[in-house]
Amino acid sequence: MRDEVLEFLRQNQGGFVSGQDMSEACHVSRTAIWKHIKALRQKGYKIESYTKRGYRLLEEPDLLSPLAMKQILKTDVFGKRYVYMDTTESTNLEARRLAQQGAEEGTVVVTEEQAAGRGRLSRGWYSPFGKGLWFSLILRPDFAPVEAPKCTLMAAVALTKAFHKMGLTDAGIKWPNDILVNGRKLVGILTEMSGSMEEISYIVMGIGVNVKTKQEELPEELKLIATSLTMEGIDIERTEAFKIILESLEHQYYEVLDSGFEETLNEWRQLSVTLGEEIEVRAPGNTYEGVATDIDEDGNLLVRIPDGTVKRIMAGDVSIRPRK
Ligand code: ADP
């Protein structure tokens, strides 16, 4: 419904549309139209209104619309199919639905806001309107399913390199799926796979990047643990940040397809903030401490516990924390 109102305003860009015309076209009352206009204004749309003439769209916020992105994006595959939504429950859900219907590799599903963004282990991901890059990428690599978890590491490397390019040299990777700046989370990555033991049908990689969020806007529980590009002093349009990130992801992915994971894993080691750290491993019903020493060729984390034995931990079933 809100999309319809917005579409109506867009179609008449520069001109006025009456509340009456919109209410007839969208089959709702004029009061409902007024409420939607109010909601749009809160999201940063500049909409003029005059009693007799109606409404006029003056300016849209820095949006990730297909038109805005197509003009600047220089990729061959990633984002060629670009599915854009004003709002959605979760881009991973939408991307999985599309992947099941056969959506091609490189399909990007992006939204301005997620109502139910997800982290790993069913945790929530805070995704307010227009403040970040909340997107999912569909991949259909022909490598074996056991290699899939390494896609998360690949994405983390690509993203961290993209941030370095934007001037944020303090960004580093926390195993397996977060990008941190001075201990605060800038990015979360959630990789989901569908396939059999022998073959990957598709991988959906959900990526959330905090871009424009300000410290005071963060919900209480994230105030001390989250950060954004703006909070780190990087002043960049979301479209430009998205362009740099998608290009970096595409580059890294084809490097892996062409030459394997080895070089990317080495880069991961260089960019990691986990290796060498004393950490706490939280597995269901079992919490222990140790030192993160390395990752193996499958991307598992190697942790040396106090008695000297080395544990191999797989992404997906544990969380790690720095030891206090
Ligand atoms: P973990 O870091 O414990 O492995 P996840 O990778 O699953 O957790 O990410 C989910 C967690 O990230 C949430 O429990 C919350 O603490 C935090 N979080 C949620 N939204 C954001 C956000 N927009 N920015 C930074 N951190 C967030």
Side-chain angles (χ1 to χ4, degrees):
M1 153 69 193
R2 197 161 58 217
D3 282 353
E4 279 180 69
V5 171
L6 189 55
E7 269 319 303
F8 211 84
L9 287 167
R10 279 192 184 128
Q11 279 162 19
N12 293 282
Q13 192 110 33
F16 280 94
V17 283
S18 76
Q20 186 62 38
D21 286 351
M22 272 199 283
S23 87
E24 277 167 20
C26 304
H27 307 289
V28 291
S29 70
R30 290 183 64 168
T31 316
I33 295 287
W34 178 79
K35 279 191 184 146
H36 284 295
I37 297 278
K38 206 169 133 187
L40 286 170
R41 279 180 176 150
Q42 275 166 358
K43 290 181 168 177
Y45 290 86
K46 296 220 164 56
I47 301 169
E48 256 189 326
S49 61
Y50 291 102
T51 324
K52 293 233 170 67
R53 299 165 82 185
Y55 302 99
R56 175 160 73 166
L57 178 62
L58 292 177
E59 199 183 308
E60 301 202 21
D62 164 33
L63 293 176
L64 303 167
S65 64
L67 199 65
M69 284 310 296
K70 289 246 152 72
Q71 282 167 5
I72 55 170
L73 189 61
K74 295 210 166 50
T75 48
D76 293 324
V77 178
F78 286 16
K80 283 292 151 203
R81 178 157 180 211
Y82 188 88
V83 180
Y84 172 73
M85 287 164 299
D86 192 38
T87 181
T88 190
E89 212 173 316
S90 133
T91 58
N92 261 30
L93 268 180
E94 191 59 30
R96 272 167 41 200
R97 206 175 56 75
L98 291 172
Q100 264 148 25
Q101 292 167 3
E104 60 269 42
E105 168 152 281
T107 298
V108 166
V109 179
V110 60
T111 187
E112 297 296 346
E113 123 192 281
Q114 293 185 110
R118 288 176 307 143
R120 296 182 314 140
L121 315 169
S122 307
R123 297 194 188 100
W125 185 259
Y126 170 66
S127 335
F129 189 92
K131 299 287 178 177
L133 304 173
W134 325 125
F135 70 103
S136 297
L137 178 64
I138 298 175
L139 298 178
R140 297 185 183 275
D142 60 4
F143 47 66
V146 289
E147 310 261 46
K150 283 189 276 189
C151 280
T152 302
L153 305 189
M154 184 261 321
V157 167
L159 280 150
T160 307
K161 282 159 72 178
F163 296 129
H164 288 191
K165 207 166 168 183
M166 295 174 208
L168 185 54
T169 47
D170 285 345
I173 309 168
K174 177 191 162 215
W175 185 89
N177 66 329
D178 294 332
I179 295 174
L180 307 183
V181 185
N182 299 319
R184 292 178 186 225
K185 203 189 294 201
L186 177 68
V187 175
I189 303 171
L190 176 66
T191 306
E192 298 182 288
M193 188 195 77
S194 167
S196 61
M197 294 283 280
E198 292 83 36
E199 201 179 50
I200 295 173
S201 165
Y202 62 82
I203 290 177
V204 163
M205 213 147 43
I207 298 174
V209 184
N210 300 318
V211 181
K212 293 285 181 188
T213 324
K214 297 193 181 107
Q215 172 75 31
E216 62 270 22
E217 292 166 347
L218 284 170
E220 215 48 51
E221 69 276 13
L222 297 180
K223 277 201 160 55
L224 295 175
I225 61 172
T227 191
S228 69
L229 290 177
T230 297
M231 283 164 64
E232 296 301 331
I234 305 295
D235 183 21
I236 189 168
E237 297 269 295
R238 284 186 311 146
T239 45
E240 184 61 21
F242 202 20
K243 166 194 159 69
I244 296 173
I245 286 169
L246 286 176
E247 290 173 2
S248 185
L249 281 166
E250 180 173 280
H251 177 83
Q252 202 74 35
Y253 181 59
Y254 284 102
E255 197 164 291
V256 164
L257 289 190
D258 289 344
S259 342
F261 274 105
E262 201 180 320
E263 191 44 42
T264 295
L265 291 186
N266 279 334
E267 288 188 88
W268 189 96
R269 290 182 179 101
Q270 299 293 320
L271 299 170
S272 149
V273 294
T274 302
L275 298 186
E277 290 295 300
E278 294 198 3
I279 57 164
E280 186 182 273
V281 180
R282 297 181 184 176
N286 183 16
T287 294
Y288 56 91
E289 292 175 351
V291 178
T293 55
D294 200 2
I295 47 168
D296 67 13
E297 69 280 7
D298 293 324
N300 300 314
L301 187 67
L302 304 179
V303 180
R304 194 178 60 240
I305 58 172
D307 74 4
T309 39
V310 174
K311 293 210 177 221
R312 188 181 297 262
I313 59 178
M314 279 174 30
D317 24 275
V318 297
S319 288
I320 61 170
R321 295 275 177 279
R323 244 180 74 186
K324 302 272 153 36

